[in-house]
Amino acid sequence: MAEAERIIGTPDTPDAAGGGNERPDSEGTPPDESPAGRGRRRIAVLFAVASLAYALDLISKLIVVAKLEHHPPIEIIGDWLKFEAIRNAGAAFGFGEAFTVIFTMIAAAVIVVIARLARKLYSLPWAIALGLLLGGALGNLTDRIFRAPGVFEGAVVDFIAPKHFAVFNLADSAIVCGGILIVLLSFKGLDPDGTVHKD
């Protein structure tokens, strides 16, 4: 968790970040808007994205369990893409089924870190990326807590089944998209506080 805070952690105000960093003009923020105002807007975006990702994942799983579980797979694009309900006790894409409790703890830790560091967020792209991570982590954590075989050991509902690939769900997709966006932002030198490193 300390490493995560080191990567995402930023000063409480954008002005505290000095040493050759500049705030990008592409943020689209009025120049007279206060840092607190920018922060509140980015936090709102983060939780809006997280709420949407979580709601879509939850609704899709409810439909899959009600309509698809214990039924033949539905072909979406021939053999290349099917909807097939499975229960996954492992991590994303079915890996590590022997470590369900550990994955549950990791998901909970990710949620706590993002929630704690939201107040230091001043970048819109970072707000979207962290929102995707938060929504995806909440989606799978809900399964871990409330689904069989028990609390913190529940199997996640997966149903998107591409050919020659692992079966996954919308929460997994949100987590992967959020992670890719974070990598891209890091390569561009954009920090969560909205400053840009000029290396």
Side-chain angles (χ1 to χ4, degrees), residues 30-74:
D32 58 344
E33 185 177 359
S34 68
R38 286 193 296 270
R40 283 193 295 270
R41 289 168 64 100
R42 301 310 181 241
I43 291 172
V45 169
L46 187 157
F47 286 109
V49 171
S51 298
L52 179 61
Y54 177 69
L56 290 175
D57 179 68
L58 184 62
I59 292 169
S60 67
K61 288 173 179 175
L62 290 174
I63 294 173
V64 166
V65 170
K67 303 295 185 180
L68 189 57
E69 202 166 36
H70 309 304
H71 290 79
I74 298 175

Side-chain angles (χ1 to χ4, degrees), residues 113-180:
V113 169
I114 293 174
R116 282 184 58 195
L117 297 175
R119 63 185 176 84
K120 302 178 180 180
L121 188 63
Y122 294 92
S123 165
L124 180 59
W126 271 93
I128 294 171
L130 293 178
L132 289 170
L133 284 180
L134 180 59
L138 282 170
N140 283 339
L141 183 61
T142 299
D143 282 0
R144 302 289 187 201
I145 295 174
F146 294 107
R147 296 195 186 276
V151 177
F152 301 122
E153 297 181 352
V156 172
V157 175
D158 289 335
F159 63 94
I160 304 172
K163 189 175 183 180
H164 305 310
F165 196 72
V167 184
F168 59 97
N169 57 42
L170 295 183
D172 297 332
S173 301
I175 291 170
V176 170
C177 290
I180 291 173

